[in-house]
Amino acid sequence: MSVAPQVDVTPRRYHLKKQITAPRSEKNLRQDRFSQNPVPSRISSQKVEKLSARAQQPPIWLRTLLLLHYSSSVLTACLIAAILTVYALTVYAPQRWSREYKKLMNLQRDERHLTAANESLKNQLAQQAERSDTGLVNSNPTNAIFLPPAPVPAPVTPLVSSTNPTTAESKLPVATVPLAY
Amino acid sequence: MTDSNPAPLFSRPKRRPRKNLTKNKNSNLHNSPWRKTVKTNVKPSGLPQVRLLLVWGVLLAGVLGLGWRVYQLQIIQAPKLQEKARQQQMVDLRPYIPRRTIVDSQNNVLATDRLVYSLYVHPKLFKTPKEEIAQKLAPILDQRTPQKLIEKFNQRESGIRIASALTEEVANKITNLSLDGLELIQHYSRFYPQQKIAADAIGYVDQDRRGQAGVEYSQRQLLEYDLLTFRIRRAGNGAIMPASVPEGLLDFDDLQLRLTLDLRLQRAARVALKQKMRYYNAKRGTVIVMDVKDGSLLALVCEPTYNPNQYFKYNIELFKNWAVTDLYEPGSTFKPINVAIALEAGVIKPHNFFYDSGKIKVDGWNIYNHDYHSRGGRGPMSIAKILQYSSNVGMIQIVRRMNKGDYYSSLKKLGLGESMGVDLPGDAPGYLKSEAEFTVRSIEAATASFGQGFSLTPLKLLQLHGAIANGGTLVTPHVVQGLADLQGHFHWQPSFPTKKVFSESTARAVLEMMETVVTKGSGKPARIEGYRIAGKTGTAQKASPWGGYLPNAKITSFVAILPVESPRYAVVAVIDEPKGSNTFGSTVAAPIVKSVMETLISVKGIPPSK
């Protein structure tokens, strides 16, 4: 769109043909006059009036259409941005998923390897232990020590003696079992 | 003042002078207050108008053409094209779903899956000569001479399977050779790390990963996941498009099948059994340990046995677990059961005495005690003494007091002719003669009183002794504890029926009599210092397939219950055909049970009674 102010102000362009008769050099002059104070025109057939600010505004239907146009353009821009983001995700997410899936398969395989190896080792150790030259014997009751569960100690009670008031020690609480820390 | 009107967003480049297309000079636009110039009538020339129409027409034709093409593609050719796309993009994915792991009660793995490789050769792709390849492969695949390999190479041009179960180290070595024409295909195969130790209980799977014996066969529904096939879309580079992945692709749980076996006990039992069997050159033997409270089997050992990793190398007879499938005549180990039946029927009391004459004549048959020829009759004996000396005559006296029909129905009530419902394959029902045959003469009841004339499996005998131990309930022996996750929580456990057959007092009385067998009677070799053990020996003659009994073939057994003050475990050992002169239940089977009980005490931490 050229910078020079143009006569076209509506979506439809109007090209003035009839100004062929007017001198070409005055074309610009004439257009300047649109924005300035009205100057009597050289072409008598024309009459240029100042545009009132109010009248300069486009009609309501045009305004709403323009507003709609503007808002839908903004909406379209946002949607385009969103589309691009989602598209990027649709490319990135499956890649990530495939990577993680491969990792999962590998981990599962490794787990199986480890289990098999661990158990084979256990079996080998047990077989080696069974052989008599290793000096290991089967556990049997003669080797085992069974401990009876210890009785829970009775709570410590202070010695209270009412029969012998003369002894001073009996007034103080005396522990019957040593307290161990 | 700047341009007060907004510039149009879409501007066409100026190609040629624009025409004033409005013919109506009186339109609002021209008469609006802000437009005061008056247009003169300019007549548009004909040619540019037609060109405009032409352009419009061409574009319209293009749109229509596209529309028609869309209709053709989307609606007419749609099924064909969809089919093509599906063929190209969709792929059937069979994700590897492993068979469930089998673990024992201590979480040791008994059966798991392992990655193995199969080696295929395609001689037509060989770049180096066959002999060279054979030379390089032979040392890696031991047991193959280069000559044999070359023979194999000459069979076909492609697709010859050389080896099927190669471990990863061997496969890596083959890959490192970098020879053309060798192909390694990986697949999972079942692996039993404990080898022979628990083979009788676990069983094995064949090449098609189908269980053929043991728990692998009987619990195959639990062990196998459903074979799922998913239709998945693949992108151009082969990666899976996760949007098309249906639910459940990665959904399999990691539950394990937990058995009641304890591997430590299993090992100890097997060692003890093998030792005695080798000493007496026996044909086969079995040791079973059961928890009498719920019937879970802690050890189930049969000898001889096989290695399930190489099941194809063994005789097919070994695949059955003969403790579950084979019948034998129990002999004297059945005597406590008869005493319990008689006590329950009320025909005898625990303090009764019976006269043992050493031999007795029933229906024309002479029946002797096993030591009649050396010892003769012993005179009046208590029931405990009858069990201690294992007197056949005493048992006949006891059983004689019962009505034959009542005795028969008591035997039937114990489930002698029915299968137990064990969760191992081949559960064999015992054999009992028909009621008519049993009751018509006295000889049948007489022989049944000392455990001959009918047959049962070693596991059934253990179940009956378990009933005496736990106060009179027949529990179902089982090997499967349930499906547990890795933290040990059970997601599913089987339930087994129980049946009350004796009263508590009867069971208690018989148990105490059996204790005297170990302290004073034939079960002395099974004594353990500090522990109260109840037991019974058994030495039975084997029935011959042509009727009668084989003269020199014996089957020795010993049953023990431990500890007597609160019975928890029952152990049975049965040895088939020990050779030699001094082969009795007390000499052959009782020491095996003693060593198994010692391990049991250590493993379970059973405190001494005294």
Side-chain angles (χ1 to χ4, degrees):
Chain A
M1 187 64 199
S2 63
V3 180
Q6 302 231 353
V7 179
D8 309 333
V9 293
T10 60
R12 289 185 78 193
R13 296 252 212 108
Y14 291 91
H15 195 84
L16 301 166
K17 281 295 275 188
K18 62 174 183 61
Q19 280 79 17
I20 295 171
T21 54
R24 281 187 72 89
S25 58
E26 289 189 332
K27 189 165 142 194
N28 286 337
L29 271 173
R30 204 183 333 120
Q31 284 173 346
D32 274 338
R33 279 192 212 135
F34 262 126
S35 48
Q36 287 161 15
N37 292 326
V39 171
S41 158
R42 300 239 192 118
I43 302 168
S44 56
S45 59
Q46 277 188 336
K47 201 170 139 201
V48 177
E49 283 184 5
K50 181 190 175 179
L51 297 166
S52 61
R54 170 55 95 55
Q56 214 172 12
Q57 262 192 341
I60 291 191
W61 59 271
L62 199 58
R63 243 187 302 152
T64 45
L65 214 63
L66 285 172
L67 190 67
L68 204 67
H69 183 201
Y70 183 66
S71 51
S72 67
S73 315
V74 168
L75 191 66
T76 311
C78 293
L79 280 177
I80 289 177
I83 285 174
L84 289 175
T85 323
V86 169
Y87 179 68
L89 281 177
T90 56
V91 169
Y92 175 65
Q95 265 179 8
R96 184 107 187 274
W97 188 93
S98 302
R99 265 205 307 263
E100 300 293 323
Y101 183 70
K102 230 181 274 196
K103 237 195 268 181
L104 174 69
M105 292 290 120
N106 282 343
L107 280 176
Q108 280 179 345
R109 204 189 58 195
D110 289 341
E111 181 199 355
R112 273 181 225 119
H113 275 198
L114 282 173
T115 317
N118 194 25
E119 295 297 325
S120 309
L121 213 62
K122 271 197 232 175
N123 188 39
Q124 237 182 349
L125 284 175
Q127 274 179 345
Q128 274 181 347
E130 269 168 29
R131 286 206 307 261
S132 48
D133 53 358
T134 50
L136 297 168
V137 293
N138 250 346
S139 58
N140 51 27
T142 51
N143 297 344
I145 303 175
F146 285 93
L147 299 169
V152 177
V156 172
T157 51
L159 270 179
V160 180
S161 167
S162 56
T163 55
N164 203 350
T166 53
T167 52
E169 301 88 54
S170 60
K171 294 258 194 314
L172 297 166
V174 174
T176 49
V177 260
L179 278 172
Y181 285 90
Chain B
M1 218 167 94
T2 53
D3 199 356
S4 62
N5 297 304
L9 273 180
F10 308 102
S11 61
R12 292 197 214 128
K14 287 190 187 182
R15 283 202 210 107
R16 53 199 171 106
R18 291 298 313 268
K19 304 265 181 286
N20 183 6
L21 289 174
T22 59
K23 307 276 194 294
N24 187 2
K25 289 184 220 30
N26 294 326
S27 65
N28 255 353
L29 274 172
H30 293 281
N31 294 336
S32 63
W34 57 278
R35 190 110 178 81
K36 284 295 179 183
T37 53
V38 175
K39 291 204 171 289
T40 55
N41 196 4
V42 178
K43 188 176 170 167
S45 58
L47 186 59
Q49 174 95 3
V50 166
R51 259 198 264 175
L52 197 64
L53 274 177
L54 203 65
V55 166
W56 179 78
V58 164
L59 290 173
L60 189 68
V63 164
L64 285 175
L66 279 173
W68 182 76
R69 184 81 181 130
V70 159
Y71 169 74
Q72 200 192 27
L73 284 174
Q74 278 291 124
I75 297 177
I76 296 180
Q77 289 184 0
K80 243 192 313 174
L81 290 174
Q82 269 175 4
E83 191 55 44
K84 239 182 172 181
R86 207 168 283 137
Q87 272 176 6
Q88 279 179 1
Q89 294 171 16
M90 303 279 239
V91 89
D92 278 333
L93 191 70
R94 283 244 215 107
Y96 167 66
I97 300 181
R99 212 170 154 85
R100 284 210 165 101
T101 326
I102 304 181
V103 289
D104 79 337
S105 58
Q106 311 297 317
N107 260 337
N108 296 314
V109 170
L110 297 173
T112 182
D113 282 328
R114 191 174 60 161
L115 201 62
V116 293
Y117 293 84
S118 303
L119 177 63
Y120 286 83
V121 292
H122 311 284
K124 69 178 178 194
L125 298 173
F126 280 170
K127 295 273 169 28
T128 52
K130 287 184 188 165
E131 290 76 22
E132 209 181 303
I133 295 187
Q135 285 286 345
K136 285 195 192 161
L137 274 183
I140 298 179
L141 311 165
D142 42 19
Q143 298 167 7
R144 312 259 173 164
T145 61
Q147 203 50 43
K148 274 206 198 137
L149 283 176
I150 295 176
E151 273 170 43
K152 285 214 145 164
F153 293 165
N154 291 334
Q155 278 175 2
R156 270 198 301 273
E157 274 306 306
S158 151
I160 308 172
R161 185 163 75 173
I162 300 285
S164 50
L166 300 171
T167 58
E168 236 185 318
E169 297 90 42
V170 178
N172 281 341
K173 277 192 225 165
I174 296 180
T175 332
N176 290 341
L177 289 178
S178 311
L179 293 169
D180 279 323
L182 299 181
E183 188 184 355
L184 282 167
I185 302 206
Q186 76 179 41
H187 57 96
Y188 280 91
S189 98
R190 199 78 164 150
F191 175 56
Y192 302 93
Q194 314 297 342
Q195 294 174 4
K196 286 188 175 186
I197 303 289
D200 316 301
I202 313 174
Y204 70 98
V205 294
D206 63 1
Q207 299 279 9
D208 300 325
R209 289 170 70 79
R210 279 195 309 242
Q212 299 292 325
V215 168
E216 294 267 22
Y217 177 72
S218 63
Q219 309 298 320
R220 56 193 184 285
Q221 270 112 0
L222 291 179
L223 289 172
E224 288 167 357
Y225 294 95
D226 292 323
L227 209 59
L228 296 161
T229 312
F230 294 102
R231 303 220 76 193
I232 301 231
R233 288 180 63 193
R234 274 198 196 276
N237 60 354
I240 298 175
M241 292 175 65
S244 67
V245 169
E247 300 242 350
L249 172 64
L250 303 166
D251 212 11
F252 53 91
D253 48 43
D254 46 6
L255 295 177
Q256 300 173 317
L257 184 70
R258 192 181 282 192
L259 301 182
T260 54
L261 298 177
D262 189 334
L263 216 56
R264 302 168 284 187
L265 214 54
Q266 183 92 352
R267 237 180 255 278
R270 197 172 282 282
V271 163
L273 182 62
K274 261 187 9 197
Q275 196 188 20
K276 276 288 179 209
M277 273 181 59
R278 212 175 327 137
Y279 186 78
Y280 286 103
N281 201 9
K283 195 165 107 177
R284 55 185 189 175
T286 180
V287 174
I288 315 174
V289 179
M290 183 175 87
D291 181 339
V292 303
K293 291 270 188 297
D294 56 7
S296 43
L297 296 175
L298 276 77
L300 180 56
V301 175
C302 294
E303 277 288 331
T305 187
Y306 61 101
N307 183 349
N309 291 313
Q310 294 158 348
Y311 63 93
F312 36 84
K313 291 189 186 163
Y314 293 85
N315 194 348
I316 200 171
E317 282 174 6
L318 296 175
F319 299 155
K320 70 174 180 199
N321 185 335
W322 81 268
V324 176
T325 59
D326 284 6
L327 304 173
Y328 81 112
E329 294 197 359
S332 310
T333 45
F334 199 77
K335 285 179 183 160
I337 319 276
N338 281 328
V339 171
I341 293 176
L343 278 175
E344 189 74 16
V347 297
I348 59 171
K349 293 279 183 299
H351 52 80
N352 284 150
F353 276 71
F354 297 89
Y355 188 79
D356 178 8
S357 49
K359 80 166 184 186
I360 195 171
K361 202 172 176 103
V362 179
D363 281 353
W365 297 87
N366 277 328
I367 299 182
Y368 306 92
N369 283 346
H370 68 94
D371 54 357
Y372 171 70
H373 297 287
S374 55
R375 194 63 182 72
R378 286 196 171 89
M381 289 207 289
S382 66
I383 307 181
K385 278 240 167 357
I386 292 177
L387 290 180
Q388 280 168 38
Y389 295 117
S390 199
S391 156
N392 298 344
V393 175
M395 288 308 300
I396 295 178
Q397 303 276 19
I398 290 176
V399 165
R400 225 177 223 185
R401 291 208 185 178
M402 275 193 288
N403 186 356
K404 286 198 278 283
D406 289 341
Y407 181 44
Y408 187 79
S409 55
S410 306
L411 287 177
K412 273 238 106 45
K413 191 171 127 188
L414 290 177
L416 272 187
E418 299 151 10
S419 53
M420 278 182 285
V422 179
D423 45 17
L424 287 167
D427 184 15
Y431 174 70
L432 192 59
K433 292 198 169 86
S434 65
E435 178 153 16
E437 217 177 327
F438 197 83
T439 50
V440 66
R441 300 191 301 168
S442 315
I443 186 65
E444 294 299 334
T447 50
S449 72
F450 51 89
Q452 311 245 206
F454 63 94
S455 56
L456 37 65
T457 62
L459 199 57
K460 178 74 186 170
L461 185 71
L462 192 61
Q463 186 199 31
L464 294 172
H465 278 275
I468 291 180
N470 65 18
T473 317
L474 274 183
V475 290
T476 314
H478 57 272
V479 176
V480 172
Q481 206 176 6
L483 283 178
D485 63 13
L486 293 167
Q487 275 79 37
H489 305 301
F490 280 98
H491 288 233
W492 171 85
Q493 278 185 294
S495 59
F496 295 98
T498 57
K499 186 171 152 186
K500 185 97 175 150
V501 287
F502 304 128
S503 64
E504 299 250 357
S505 49
T506 308
R508 191 81 219 158
V510 176
L511 197 65
E512 281 174 7
M513 289 177 206
M514 284 171 72
E515 193 186 350
T516 61
V517 174
V518 172
T519 50
K520 293 184 249 181
S522 53
K524 276 202 216 127
R527 258 182 319 188
I528 297 182
E529 175 104 25
Y531 289 87
R532 289 178 69 187
I533 298 169
K536 184 72 190 77
T537 57
T539 312
Q541 288 196 289
K542 284 183 75 171
S544 128
W546 311 283
Y549 291 91
L550 296 169
N552 291 326
K554 284 193 259 195
I555 186 158
T556 57
S557 48
F558 186 76
V559 183
I561 298 172
L562 160 89
V564 170
E565 64 269 17
S566 66
R568 185 72 196 275
Y569 300 104
V571 184
V572 71
V574 180
I575 316 286
D576 193 358
E577 286 190 34
K579 315 266 188 312
S581 51
N582 191 20
T583 51
F584 299 98
S586 50
T587 54
V588 182
I592 302 176
V593 174
K594 176 181 171 168
S595 56
V596 171
M597 282 197 294
E598 283 176 346
T599 315
L600 183 61
I601 287 168
S602 318
V603 159
K604 293 290 176 185
I606 304 173
S609 324
K610 303 149 192 170

